Amino acid sequence: SSPGLDRVLKKPADFERFSGSEINLRLRLPMSGRRNFNGVLLGLQDGKIRLTIDTGDVELDLVNVDKARLVPKFD
């Protein structure tokens, strides 16, 4: 079956392929007191996911990601 509109991102290639898309991401271990991040995916570089969130750009370790999903867009 199709992965659906809220496709799960697992492989490093997924984070490159969907660069520019909005995602929801949850970490295994908190970073700066946060586990949940919502923002625009900038891509993957050196094992770190680059993300633009409301407070600016962040880099999150790919190995620390518990779940990552695309946010569905409805026009």
Coordinates of all heavy atoms in Angstrom, one line a residue:
S1 N 0.8 -1.2 0.0 CA 0.0 0.0 0.0 C 0.9 1.2 0.0 O 2.1 1.2 0.3 CB -0.9 0.0 1.2 OG -0.3 0.3 2.4
S2 N 0.3 2.4 -0.3 CA 1.0 3.6 -0.4 C 1.3 4.1 1.1 O 0.6 3.9 2.0 CB 0.1 4.7 -1.0 OG 0.5 6.0 -0.9
P3 N 2.5 4.8 1.2 CA 2.8 5.3 2.5 C 1.9 6.5 3.0 O 1.9 6.8 4.2 CB 4.2 5.8 2.4 CG 4.5 5.9 0.9 CD 3.5 5.0 0.2
G4 N 1.1 7.0 2.1 CA 0.1 8.0 2.5 C 0.7 9.4 2.5 O 1.9 9.7 2.2
L5 N -0.1 10.4 2.9 CA 0.3 11.8 2.9 C 1.3 12.1 4.0 O 2.1 13.0 3.9 CB -1.0 12.7 3.1 CG -2.0 12.6 1.9 CD1 -3.2 13.5 2.3 CD2 -1.4 13.2 0.7
D6 N 1.1 11.4 5.2 CA 2.1 11.7 6.3 C 3.2 10.6 6.3 O 3.4 10.0 7.3 CB 1.3 11.7 7.6 CG 0.6 10.5 7.9 OD1 0.4 9.6 7.0 OD2 0.2 10.3 9.1
R7 N 3.8 10.5 5.2 CA 4.9 9.5 4.9 C 5.9 9.5 6.1 O 6.4 10.6 6.5 CB 5.5 9.8 3.6 CG 6.8 8.9 3.3 CD 7.5 9.4 2.1 NE 6.6 9.3 0.9 CZ 6.7 8.3 0.0 NH1 7.6 7.3 0.2 NH2 5.9 8.3 -1.0
V8 N 6.4 8.4 6.5 CA 7.4 8.3 7.5 C 8.8 8.4 6.8 O 9.0 7.8 5.8 CB 7.3 6.9 8.2 CG1 8.5 6.7 9.2 CG2 6.0 6.8 9.0
L9 N 9.6 9.2 7.4 CA 11.0 9.4 6.9 C 11.9 8.5 7.8 O 12.0 8.7 9.0 CB 11.4 10.8 7.0 CG 10.5 11.8 6.3 CD1 11.0 13.2 6.5 CD2 10.4 11.5 4.8
K10 N 12.6 7.6 7.2 CA 13.5 6.7 7.9 C 14.9 6.7 7.4 O 15.9 6.9 8.2 CB 13.0 5.2 7.8 CG 11.7 5.0 8.5 CD 11.3 3.5 8.3 CE 9.9 3.3 8.9 NZ 9.5 1.9 8.8
K11 N 15.1 6.5 6.1 CA 16.5 6.4 5.6 C 17.1 7.8 5.3 O 16.4 8.8 5.1 CB 16.4 5.7 4.3 CG 15.9 4.2 4.4 CD 15.9 3.6 3.0 CE 14.4 3.5 2.6 NZ 14.3 3.0 1.3
P12 N 18.4 7.9 5.4 CA 19.1 9.2 5.1 C 18.6 9.7 3.7 O 18.4 11.0 3.6 CB 20.5 8.8 5.1 CG 20.7 7.7 6.0 CD 19.4 6.9 5.8
A13 N 18.4 8.9 2.7 CA 17.9 9.4 1.4 C 16.6 10.0 1.5 O 16.3 11.0 0.7 CB 17.9 8.2 0.4
D14 N 15.7 9.6 2.4 CA 14.4 10.2 2.6 C 14.5 11.7 3.0 O 13.8 12.6 2.6 CB 13.6 9.5 3.6 CG 13.2 8.1 3.2 OD1 13.2 7.8 2.0 OD2 12.9 7.3 4.1
F15 N 15.5 12.0 3.9 CA 15.7 13.3 4.4 C 16.3 14.3 3.3 O 16.0 15.5 3.3 CB 16.6 13.3 5.6 CG 15.9 12.7 6.8 CD1 16.1 11.4 7.1 CD2 15.0 13.5 7.6 CE1 15.5 10.8 8.2 CE2 14.4 12.9 8.7 CZ 14.6 11.6 9.0
E16 N 17.0 13.7 2.3 CA 17.4 14.5 1.2 C 16.3 14.7 0.2 O 16.1 15.8 -0.4 CB 18.6 13.8 0.5 CG 19.9 13.9 1.3 CD 20.4 15.3 1.4 OE1 20.2 16.1 0.5 OE2 21.0 15.6 2.5
R17 N 15.6 13.6 -0.1 CA 14.5 13.6 -1.1 C 13.4 14.6 -0.8 O 12.9 15.3 -1.7 CB 13.9 12.2 -1.2 CG 12.8 12.1 -2.2 CD 12.3 10.7 -2.3 NE 11.1 10.6 -3.0 CZ 10.3 9.6 -3.0 NH1 10.5 8.5 -2.3 NH2 9.2 9.6 -3.8
F18 N 13.1 14.7 0.5 CA 12.0 15.6 0.9 C 12.4 16.9 1.4 O 11.7 17.6 2.2 CB 11.0 14.9 1.8 CG 10.3 13.7 1.2 CD1 10.7 12.4 1.4 CD2 9.3 13.9 0.3 CE1 10.1 11.4 0.8 CE2 8.7 12.9 -0.3 CZ 9.1 11.6 -0.1
S19 N 13.6 17.3 1.1 CA 14.2 18.6 1.5 C 13.2 19.7 1.0 O 12.7 19.7 -0.1 CB 15.6 18.8 0.9 OG 16.1 20.1 1.3
G20 N 12.9 20.7 1.8 CA 11.9 21.8 1.5 C 10.5 21.5 2.0 O 9.7 22.3 1.9
S21 N 10.3 20.3 2.5 CA 9.0 19.9 2.9 C 8.9 20.1 4.4 O 9.9 20.1 5.2 CB 8.7 18.4 2.7 OG 8.8 18.1 1.3
E22 N 7.6 20.3 4.9 CA 7.4 20.5 6.3 C 7.3 19.1 7.0 O 6.7 18.2 6.5 CB 6.1 21.3 6.6 CG 5.9 21.7 8.0 CD 4.7 22.6 8.2 OE1 4.1 23.1 7.2 OE2 4.3 22.7 9.4
I23 N 8.0 19.0 8.1 CA 8.0 17.7 8.8 C 7.7 17.9 10.3 O 7.9 18.9 10.9 CB 9.3 16.9 8.7 CG1 10.5 17.6 9.3 CG2 9.6 16.6 7.2 CD1 11.7 16.7 9.4
N24 N 7.2 16.8 11.0 CA 7.1 16.6 12.4 C 8.2 15.6 12.8 O 8.3 14.6 12.2 CB 5.8 16.1 12.8 CG 4.7 17.1 12.7 OD1 4.9 18.3 12.7 ND2 3.4 16.6 12.5
L25 N 9.0 15.9 13.8 CA 10.1 15.1 14.2 C 10.1 14.9 15.7 O 9.9 15.9 16.4 CB 11.4 15.7 13.7 CG 12.6 14.9 13.8 CD1 13.4 15.1 12.5 CD2 13.4 15.4 15.0
R26 N 10.3 13.7 16.2 CA 10.4 13.4 17.6 C 11.8 12.8 17.9 O 12.1 11.8 17.2 CB 9.3 12.5 18.1 CG 9.3 12.4 19.7 CD 8.1 11.7 20.2 NE 8.1 10.3 19.8 CZ 7.0 9.6 19.6 NH1 5.8 10.2 19.7 NH2 7.0 8.4 19.3
L27 N 12.5 13.3 18.9 CA 13.8 12.7 19.3 C 13.7 11.7 20.4 O 12.7 11.7 21.2 CB 14.7 13.8 19.8 CG 15.0 15.0 18.8 CD1 15.9 16.0 19.5 CD2 15.7 14.5 17.6
R28 N 14.6 10.8 20.4 CA 14.7 9.8 21.5 C 15.1 10.5 22.8 O 14.5 10.2 23.9 CB 15.7 8.7 21.2 CG 15.2 7.8 20.1 CD 16.3 6.6 19.9 NE 15.7 5.7 18.9 CZ 16.1 5.7 17.6 NH1 17.1 6.5 17.2 NH2 15.6 4.8 16.7
L29 N 16.1 11.3 22.7 CA 16.6 12.1 23.9 C 16.5 13.5 23.6 O 16.8 14.0 22.5 CB 18.1 11.7 24.1 CG 18.5 10.3 24.4 CD1 20.0 10.1 24.4 CD2 17.9 9.8 25.7
P30 N 16.0 14.3 24.6 CA 15.8 15.7 24.4 C 17.0 16.5 24.0 O 18.1 16.2 24.5 CB 15.2 16.2 25.7 CG 14.9 15.0 26.5 CD 15.7 13.9 26.0
M31 N 16.9 17.5 23.2 CA 17.9 18.5 22.9 C 17.4 19.9 23.3 O 16.3 20.3 22.9 CB 18.2 18.4 21.4 CG 19.4 19.3 21.0 SD 19.6 19.4 19.2 CE 19.3 21.1 19.0
S32 N 18.2 20.5 24.1 CA 17.8 21.9 24.6 C 16.4 21.8 25.3 O 15.6 22.7 25.1 CB 17.8 22.9 23.5 OG 19.0 23.0 22.9
G33 N 16.1 20.7 26.0 CA 14.8 20.6 26.7 C 13.6 20.2 25.8 O 12.5 20.2 26.3
R34 N 13.9 19.9 24.5 CA 12.8 19.6 23.6 C 13.0 18.3 23.0 O 14.1 17.9 22.7 CB 12.7 20.6 22.4 CG 12.3 22.0 22.8 CD 12.3 22.9 21.6 NE 11.3 22.6 20.6 CZ 11.0 23.3 19.6 NH1 11.6 24.4 19.4 NH2 10.1 22.9 18.7
R35 N 11.8 17.6 22.8 CA 11.9 16.3 22.0 C 11.1 16.4 20.7 O 11.4 15.6 19.8 CB 11.3 15.2 22.8 CG 12.2 14.7 23.9 CD 11.6 13.5 24.7 NE 11.4 12.4 23.8 CZ 10.6 11.4 24.0 NH1 10.0 11.3 25.2 NH2 10.4 10.4 23.2
N36 N 10.2 17.3 20.6 CA 9.3 17.5 19.4 C 9.7 18.7 18.6 O 9.8 19.8 19.2 CB 7.9 17.5 19.8 CG 7.4 16.2 20.4 OD1 7.6 15.1 19.9 ND2 6.9 16.3 21.6
F37 N 9.9 18.6 17.4 CA 10.2 19.7 16.5 C 9.3 19.6 15.3 O 9.1 18.6 14.7 CB 11.7 19.6 16.0 CG 12.7 19.8 17.1 CD1 13.0 18.7 17.9 CD2 13.2 21.0 17.4 CE1 14.0 18.9 18.9 CE2 14.1 21.2 18.4 CZ 14.5 20.2 19.2
N38 N 8.8 20.8 14.9 CA 8.0 21.0 13.6 C 8.7 22.1 12.8 O 9.0 23.1 13.4 CB 6.6 21.4 13.9 CG 5.8 20.4 14.7 OD1 6.0 19.2 14.6 ND2 5.0 20.9 15.6
G39 N 8.9 21.8 11.6 CA 9.6 22.8 10.7 C 9.8 22.3 9.3 O 9.4 21.3 8.9
V40 N 10.6 23.1 8.6 CA 10.9 22.8 7.2 C 12.2 22.1 7.1 O 13.2 22.6 7.6 CB 10.9 24.1 6.3 CG1 11.3 23.8 4.9 CG2 9.5 24.8 6.4
L41 N 12.2 21.0 6.5 CA 13.4 20.2 6.3 C 14.4 20.8 5.3 O 14.0 21.2 4.2 CB 13.0 18.8 5.8 CG 14.1 17.8 5.6 CD1 14.9 17.5 6.9 CD2 13.6 16.5 5.0
L42 N 15.6 21.1 5.7 CA 16.6 21.7 4.9 C 17.5 20.6 4.3 O 18.3 20.9 3.4 CB 17.5 22.7 5.6 CG 16.7 23.9 6.2 CD1 17.7 24.7 7.0 CD2 16.1 24.7 5.1
G43 N 17.5 19.4 4.8 CA 18.3 18.3 4.2 C 19.1 17.6 5.3 O 18.9 17.8 6.5
L44 N 20.0 16.8 4.8 CA 20.9 16.0 5.7 C 22.3 16.2 5.4 O 22.7 16.2 4.2 CB 20.5 14.5 5.6 CG 21.3 13.5 6.5 CD1 20.8 13.6 7.9 CD2 21.1 12.1 5.9
Q45 N 23.2 16.5 6.4 CA 24.6 16.8 6.1 C 25.4 16.2 7.3 O 25.1 16.5 8.4 CB 24.8 18.3 6.0 CG 26.2 18.6 5.5 CD 26.3 20.1 5.2 OE1 25.7 20.9 5.9 NE2 27.1 20.5 4.3
D46 N 26.3 15.3 6.9 CA 27.2 14.7 8.0 C 26.5 14.1 9.1 O 26.8 14.2 10.3 CB 28.2 15.8 8.5 CG 29.1 16.4 7.4 OD1 29.5 15.7 6.5 OD2 29.4 17.6 7.5
G47 N 25.4 13.3 8.8 CA 24.6 12.6 9.8 C 23.7 13.5 10.6 O 23.2 13.0 11.7
K48 N 23.6 14.8 10.3 CA 22.7 15.7 11.0 C 21.6 16.2 10.1 O 21.9 16.6 9.0 CB 23.6 16.9 11.5 CG 24.6 16.4 12.6 CD 25.2 17.7 13.3 CE 26.2 17.3 14.3 NZ 25.7 16.8 15.5
I49 N 20.4 16.2 10.7 CA 19.2 16.7 10.0 C 19.2 18.2 10.2 O 19.2 18.6 11.3 CB 17.9 16.0 10.5 CG1 18.0 14.5 10.2 CG2 16.7 16.7 9.8 CD1 17.0 13.8 11.0
R50 N 19.1 19.0 9.1 CA 19.0 20.4 9.2 C 17.5 20.8 9.1 O 16.9 20.4 8.2 CB 19.9 21.1 8.2 CG 21.3 20.8 8.5 CD 22.3 21.5 7.5 NE 21.7 22.5 6.6 CZ 21.7 22.4 5.3 NH1 22.3 21.3 4.7 NH2 21.2 23.3 4.5
L51 N 17.0 21.6 10.0 CA 15.6 21.9 10.1 C 15.4 23.4 10.4 O 16.2 23.9 11.3 CB 15.0 21.1 11.2 CG 13.5 20.9 11.3 CD1 12.9 20.2 10.1 CD2 13.2 20.1 12.5
T52 N 14.5 24.1 9.8 CA 14.2 25.5 10.1 C 12.9 25.4 11.0 O 11.9 24.9 10.5 CB 13.9 26.3 8.9 OG1 15.1 26.4 8.1 CG2 13.5 27.7 9.2
I53 N 13.0 25.9 12.2 CA 11.9 25.9 13.1 C 11.5 27.4 13.4 O 12.2 28.3 12.9 CB 12.1 25.1 14.4 CG1 13.3 25.6 15.1 CG2 12.3 23.7 14.0 CD1 13.5 25.0 16.5
D54 N 10.5 27.6 14.2 CA 10.1 29.0 14.5 C 11.2 29.9 15.2 O 11.1 31.1 15.0 CB 8.8 29.0 15.4 CG 9.0 28.1 16.7 OD1 10.0 27.4 16.8 OD2 8.1 28.2 17.5
T55 N 12.1 29.3 15.9 CA 13.2 30.0 16.5 C 14.5 30.1 15.7 O 15.5 30.7 16.2 CB 13.5 29.4 17.9 OG1 13.9 28.1 17.7 CG2 12.3 29.5 18.8
G56 N 14.5 29.5 14.5 CA 15.7 29.6 13.7 C 16.1 28.2 13.2 O 15.2 27.3 13.2
D57 N 17.3 28.0 12.7 CA 17.8 26.7 12.2 C 18.4 25.9 13.3 O 19.1 26.4 14.2 CB 18.8 26.9 11.1 CG 18.2 27.6 9.8 OD1 17.0 27.7 9.8 OD2 19.0 27.9 8.9
V58 N 18.1 24.6 13.2 CA 18.7 23.6 14.2 C 19.3 22.4 13.4 O 18.9 22.1 12.3 CB 17.7 23.1 15.2 CG1 17.2 24.2 16.1 CG2 16.5 22.4 14.5
E59 N 20.2 21.8 14.0 CA 20.8 20.5 13.5 C 20.6 19.4 14.5 O 20.9 19.6 15.7 CB 22.3 20.7 13.2 CG 22.6 21.5 12.0 CD 24.1 21.5 11.6 OE1 24.9 20.9 12.4 OE2 24.4 22.0 10.5
L60 N 20.0 18.3 14.1 CA 19.6 17.2 15.0 C 20.3 16.0 14.5 O 20.3 15.7 13.3 CB 18.1 17.0 15.0 CG 17.3 18.3 15.3 CD1 15.8 18.1 15.0 CD2 17.5 18.7 16.7
D61 N 20.9 15.2 15.4 CA 21.5 13.9 15.0 C 20.5 12.9 14.5 O 19.5 12.7 15.1 CB 22.3 13.3 16.2 CG 23.5 14.1 16.6 OD1 24.2 14.6 15.6 OD2 23.8 14.2 17.8
L62 N 20.8 12.3 13.3 CA 19.9 11.4 12.7 C 19.7 10.1 13.6 O 18.6 9.6 13.7 CB 20.5 10.9 11.3 CG 19.7 9.9 10.6 CD1 18.3 10.4 10.3 CD2 20.4 9.5 9.3
V63 N 20.8 9.7 14.3 CA 20.7 8.6 15.2 C 19.8 8.8 16.4 O 19.3 7.9 17.0 CB 22.1 8.1 15.7 CG1 22.9 7.6 14.5 CG2 22.8 9.2 16.4
N64 N 19.5 10.1 16.7 CA 18.7 10.4 17.9 C 17.2 10.6 17.5 O 16.3 10.8 18.3 CB 19.2 11.7 18.5 CG 18.5 12.0 19.9 OD1 18.0 11.1 20.5 ND2 18.5 13.3 20.2
V65 N 16.8 10.4 16.2 CA 15.5 10.6 15.7 C 14.6 9.3 16.1 O 15.0 8.2 15.7 CB 15.4 10.8 14.2 CG1 14.0 10.9 13.7 CG2 16.1 12.2 13.9
D66 N 13.5 9.5 16.8 CA 12.6 8.4 17.1 C 11.6 8.3 16.0 O 11.4 7.2 15.4 CB 11.9 8.7 18.4 CG 11.0 7.6 18.9 OD1 11.4 6.4 18.6 OD2 10.0 7.8 19.5
K67 N 11.0 9.4 15.5 CA 10.0 9.4 14.4 C 10.1 10.7 13.7 O 10.3 11.7 14.2 CB 8.6 9.2 14.9 CG 8.1 7.9 15.4 CD 6.7 7.9 15.7 CE 6.2 6.5 16.2 NZ 4.8 6.5 16.5
A68 N 9.9 10.6 12.4 CA 9.9 11.7 11.5 C 8.8 11.5 10.4 O 8.8 10.4 9.8 CB 11.2 12.0 10.9
R69 N 7.9 12.4 10.3 CA 6.8 12.3 9.3 C 6.6 13.6 8.5 O 6.8 14.7 9.1 CB 5.5 12.0 10.0 CG 5.4 10.6 10.6 CD 4.0 10.4 11.1 NE 3.8 9.1 11.6 CZ 3.3 8.1 10.8 NH1 3.0 8.3 9.6 NH2 3.2 6.9 11.3
L70 N 6.2 13.5 7.3 CA 5.8 14.6 6.5 C 4.5 15.2 7.0 O 3.7 14.4 7.5 CB 5.7 14.3 5.0 CG 6.9 13.9 4.2 CD1 6.5 13.5 2.8 CD2 7.9 15.0 4.2
V71 N 4.4 16.5 6.9 CA 3.1 17.1 7.3 C 2.3 17.3 6.0 O 2.8 17.9 5.0 CB 3.3 18.5 7.9 CG1 2.0 19.2 8.1 CG2 4.1 18.4 9.2
P72 N 1.1 16.7 5.9 CA 0.3 16.8 4.7 C -0.1 18.2 4.4 O -0.4 19.0 5.3 CB -1.0 16.0 5.0 CG -0.7 15.2 6.3 CD 0.4 15.9 7.0
K73 N -0.1 18.5 3.1 CA -0.5 19.9 2.6 C -1.8 19.7 1.9 O -1.9 18.9 1.0 CB 0.6 20.4 1.7 CG 1.9 20.7 2.3 CD 1.9 22.1 2.9 CE 3.3 22.5 3.4 NZ 3.3 23.6 4.2
F74 N -2.7 20.6 2.2 CA -4.0 20.6 1.6 C -4.2 22.0 1.0 O -4.1 23.0 1.7 CB -5.2 20.3 2.5 CG -5.0 18.9 3.2 CD1 -4.6 18.8 4.5 CD2 -5.3 17.8 2.4 CE1 -4.5 17.6 5.1 CE2 -5.2 16.6 3.0 CZ -4.8 16.4 4.3
D75 N -4.5 22.1 -0.3 CA -4.7 23.4 -1.0 C -6.2 23.7 -1.1 O -7.0 22.9 -1.2 CB -4.0 23.4 -2.3 CG -2.5 23.3 -2.2 OD1 -2.0 23.8 -1.2 OD2 -1.9 22.8 -3.2

